[in-house]
Amino acid sequence: QVQLVESGGGLVQTGGSLRLSCAASGFTLDLYAIGWFRQAPGKGREGVSCISGSDGVAYYADSVKGRFTISRDNDKNTVHLEMNSLNPEDTAVYYCAANSRGFTSLFGSSYNYWGQGTQVTVSS
């Protein structure tokens, strides 16, 4: 059974940092592309970052480029999202997702497995 579990969310002040984790079970993580998405209240889902399964190539949305870093630990079957210089516009529920076809994308429709999400709140 494929399962993704996010952790690491919380409340942080503007300028602070958080590290999100996405723990995978039921499949081998390095065969899948993994994406991070977020959804703020009243807004649509936004692709934040993604990383390929084969060679670890990463992509970022312009809104987070230079502030967020995605990485994968295949030994622990986990993907991390390091978030720095956070601002209130980063407040959202963050989700990780897996694409069994392996290609990277910042479009949610490309992913067939999703976690339950973790709340990130940035106070001003």
Side-chain angles (χ1 to χ4, degrees), residues 106-118:
L106 290 179
F107 292 99
S109 58
S110 298
Y111 294 80
N112 43 352
Y113 300 106
W114 291 82
Q116 293 300 307
T118 185

Side-chain angles (χ1 to χ4, degrees), residues 3 19 22 48 97 107:
Q3 190 173 14
R19 187 191 196 207
C22 174
V48 174
F107 292 99

Side-chain angles (χ1 to χ4, degrees), residues 7-9 18-22 36 79-81 83 94 118 120:
S7 62
L18 284 173
R19 187 191 196 207
L20 304 184
S21 296
C22 174
W36 281 99
V79 172
H80 302 289
L81 185 68
M83 307 188 298
Y94 283 71
T118 185
V120 171

Side-chain angles (χ1 to χ4, degrees), residues 28-43:
T28 303
L29 196 64
D30 59 358
L31 298 179
Y32 288 64
I34 301 297
W36 281 99
F37 297 82
R38 66 186 181 185
Q39 188 163 16
K43 295 187 177 181

Side-chain angles (χ1 to χ4, degrees), residues 79-100:
V79 172
H80 302 289
L81 185 68
E82 186 76 34
M83 307 188 298
N84 299 313
S85 301
L86 287 163
N87 59 65
E89 288 69 40
D90 296 315
T91 294
V93 177
Y94 283 71
Y95 301 88
C96 68
N99 175 4
S100 61

